[in-house]
Each structure stands twice: as C-alpha cells, then as structure tokens.
Amino acid sequence: MTMPLAIITGGAQGIGCATVERFLNAGWRVAALDRDPQAVAELDERFPDQPLFAMAVDVSDEAQVKEVFQHISGWQQEGDQSEGIDLLVNNAGLADPECGPIEALSLDNWRLWQESHLTGAFLCTRASVPGLRKRQGAIVNIASTRALQSEPHCESYAAAKGGLLSMTHALAVSLGPDVRVNAICPGWIETGPWQKQANRTQPEHRDVDREQHPVGRVGEPEDVADTVVFLASDRAGFITGQHISVDGGMTRKMIYAD
Ligand code: NAD
C-alpha cells in the first residue's frame, strides 16, 4: 500500500526534528535531509524501525540535492511505493538571525544565509515539483516573524526569510491547482531539547520572556510542527500562497518604552 511521503529539510534537530516525529506518528514515510552527520545518525537512532530515510546533505549544494533525490526515489521503490511526493517542508537554514553591523558584513557571510534558506528551498522545491504534482501535494516553507519585523543587525536573515515569503506566493500561483504552497513564520521557538546530544539544553525562561507573549509562554517546536500538519492536510485545501505566524501573539503586541 502506498503511504504518504514527506521530505523535511533540516530534519535532524529543532523544529525539523519535531516535524519528522509528527509525520512518522501520523503514519507517513519521511525523508529527512540535514547537513549535520552526527545529528542525522542520532535521528536514525531516535526512530528505529520507522519508515524514515535520513541523509547528511547540504541543501544549498545542487549536486548533493540531485543525488539525495535519487536516493529517496530508490528508497521509495525498495518500499514498493508508487512515485510521488505529498509534502516538502523547506525548513533547513542557518537559524542564527544575527549577522552583525552591515558595515562589517562580508559578502561571504551574507551568502551563508541566502544559500541555506533561499537557495536550499529553491533546489529542493525544483527537485520535488514533479513528484508533488503527481500526488497533488503541498509545500510548507519555514520563514520567520523576522521576515515581518526586526531587531538591529539581522539584515541577512531578514532578507532570506522575506525572500522565502515572496517565493511562497510566487510558487503558489505557478504550481496551482496541483500544489499548494504556504509559509509559517515562527516566533521564539525553544529548540534546546531537540538538539543533538552534544548541544542539548533544557529551557530556562524568565517571567519577562513568558510575559512578552500574549499566550504566556515561549514556543515549542511542536507548535510549528502541528501547523505544518494542518497546512499539509486536506483541511487546508483552500489555503495557498499564505503565511501564518506561530508566535504566541508576540508580533501583535504593541510595545511602548516606560
Ligand atoms: P536548528 O538549528 O535547531 O535546526 C536547523 C537544522 O537545519 C539543523 O539540524 C542544521 O544542521 C540544519 N541545516 C542548516 N543548514 C542546512 C543546510 N544548508 N542543509 C541541510 N541542513 C541544514 O534550528 P531551528 O530553530 O529548528 O530552525 C529551523 C527553521 O526555523 C530555520 O529555518 C529557522 O530560521 C526557522 N526559525 C526558527 C525560529 C526559532 O526560534 N527556533 C524562529 C523563526 C524561524
């Protein structure tokens, strides 16, 4: 029997890892692509005997992306699955928003953010579209509330995430009615417990951290993963080209200095 297939980039840690877990628990086959080989090995250990294909790959590298999609195709054939992809989650990227003052920002550094977030999403989308069209699938791009608002010295990250939002509505128009394309803008999501063992931390939040969120807490990777599940489902069948903030209401809170 053919099972639904999700491809999740940056799937070995953080939001991507929680998303991998959600889809495995929901009975999907999942291909997780992540450039950190240790995190990929730990992901495999975390979900033994599950229909998970995990591979170390840098999604901003054209040759590596081409190769990994061939491997995914082979894995699907070995599992007697028909061709096609139900979901692509473009989540991988340099999660650190701070690039330092623009006057000191080197071109190489600028490119690090654009390559991981934007080029990675472009390459994985291009490779997925034929399969997504076969199954009337969906794409979910993980952008950021920083595509909508800023702290100082986040130009590289903001530009990459803003680009991802624009690519979302452009793709929705180009790929409809076959493929729906949406984005999520996470706010502050605590990923400490979802890192590979060497980097794992337990959250320590102050009252002020919680109170700046109208919902009264900092976000968790599962908050984003659940929104991906919804956007991938038929219940979101009339939603495309949109972005939704998953931020505990933080971007809606007006702040005046005392
Ligand atoms: P994370 O660092 O915990 O996980 C990101 C994963 O992506 C890592 O495992 C990393 O190895 C992988 N990765 C990075 N670049 C890659 C590349 N070029 N190829 C393949 N894999 C790559 O980060 P996270 O906090 O879970 O962030 C996931 C996504 O959510 C990112 O796009 C980030 O910008 C976005 N986001 C996070 C937050 C937050 O507060 N955590 C807020 C807004 C947006």
Side-chain angles (χ1 to χ4, degrees), residues 10 13-15 34-35 57-59 91 95 143 157 161 186-187 189 195:
Q13 298 180 96
I15 292 168
D34 198 294
R35 71 171 173 189
V57 50
D58 180 343
V59 295
N91 164 76
Y157 187 82
K161 292 305 197 181
I189 308 295
Q195 298 302 310

Side-chain angles (χ1 to χ4, degrees), residues 206-257:
R206 303 164 300 169
D207 285 346
V208 68
D209 299 330
R210 287 183 275 275
E211 284 160 8
Q212 65 183 315
H213 294 83
V215 300
R217 67 172 175 87
V218 170
E220 296 168 356
E222 295 95 320
D223 294 316
V224 180
D226 285 339
T227 312
V228 178
V229 169
F230 169 67
L231 288 173
S233 74
D234 290 343
R235 291 182 183 186
F238 200 53
I239 304 175
T240 195
Q242 304 301 314
H243 62 268
I244 176 165
S245 293
V246 177
D247 68 347
M250 201 167 153
T251 49
R252 289 301 191 205
K253 188 164 177 177
M254 193 175 284
I255 296 174
Y256 281 102

Side-chain angles (χ1 to χ4, degrees), residues 9-17 33-36 39 57-61 90-96 115-117 120 142-146 157 161 164 184-191 194-195 221 224:
T9 72
Q13 298 180 96
I15 292 168
C17 186
L33 320 182
D34 198 294
R35 71 171 173 189
D36 184 328
V57 50
D58 180 343
V59 295
S60 65
D61 183 301
N90 285 312
N91 164 76
L94 189 52
D96 181 1
E115 292 286 301
S116 64
H117 293 287
I142 307 299
S144 170
T145 50
R146 287 170 188 270
Y157 187 82
K161 292 305 197 181
L164 208 48
I184 296 172
C185 293
W188 178 356
I189 308 295
E190 171 61 59
T191 62
W194 290 87
Q195 298 302 310
V224 180

